[in-house]
C-alpha cells in the first residue's frame, strides 16, 4: 500500500482456504523442495515475515471469494449471494 501512496496502521488479513500457503509462509527455512514453488507463495512469505500481512484460514465451504472465481452449484451460489447481500439475477 505504501508503494501506492496509501498509508495504514494495521496489517492486511488475507483469508485463504489453501493449506499450502500456511505451510510455506510459516516455515522460516528454505528447503530444496520449496525451490520450484510458485513465486506468489514466496512473496506471501516475505510479506508475512515483514509484518505487512497476516493469514487467516477460512474453510472452503465458507470461502465467499469462490462466488467470483469458481463454478458453483445453484444452492452454494444463492447462499453466497445472500451472504454478500447481492440482489438476485432476474431474466
Amino acid at each position: 500500500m505504501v508503494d501506492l501512496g496509501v498509508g495504514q496502521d494495521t496489517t492486511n488479513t488475507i483469508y485463504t482456504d489453501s493449506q499450502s500457503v500456511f505451510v510455506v509462509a510459516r516455515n522460516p527455512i528454505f528447503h530444496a523442495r520449496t525451490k520450484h514453488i510458485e513465486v506468489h507463495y514466496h512473496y506471501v512469505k516475505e510479506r508475512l515475515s515483514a509484518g505487512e500481512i497476516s493469514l487467516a484460514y477460512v474453510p472452503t465451504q465458507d470461502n465467499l471469494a469462490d462466488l467470483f472465481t469458481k463454478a458453483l452449484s445453484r444452492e452454494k451460489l444463492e447462499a453466497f449471494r445472500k451472504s454478500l447481500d447481492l440482489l438476485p439475477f432476474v431474466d
Side-chain angles (χ1 to χ4, degrees):
M1 296 299 287
V2 173
D3 291 342
L4 297 174
V6 179
Q8 65 184 62
D9 297 332
T10 60
T11 61
N12 290 312
T13 301
I14 297 176
Y15 296 92
T16 181
D17 61 355
S18 173
Q19 293 294 329
S20 58
V21 169
F22 284 97
V23 172
V24 172
R26 293 198 171 132
N27 185 356
I29 300 170
F30 181 81
H31 293 285
R33 289 187 288 172
T34 61
K35 183 169 120 179
H36 297 290
I37 292 178
E38 294 180 41
V39 173
H40 67 274
Y41 289 115
H42 293 294
Y43 180 78
V44 169
K45 184 177 182 176
E46 290 173 5
R47 301 287 62 90
L48 186 65
S49 65
E52 295 175 14
I53 63 169
S54 63
L55 297 175
Y57 179 74
V58 59
T60 300
Q61 65 269 13
D62 298 332
N63 193 351
L64 292 174
D66 286 351
L67 176 67
F68 305 107
T69 61
K70 296 180 181 169
L72 301 173
S73 67
R74 183 168 195 82
E75 294 79 25
K76 188 163 245 185
L77 179 84
E78 287 297 318
F80 284 173
R81 181 192 61 77
K82 288 176 184 175
S83 294
L84 293 171
D85 291 327
L86 299 175
L87 297 174
F89 179 77
V90 180
D91 294 337

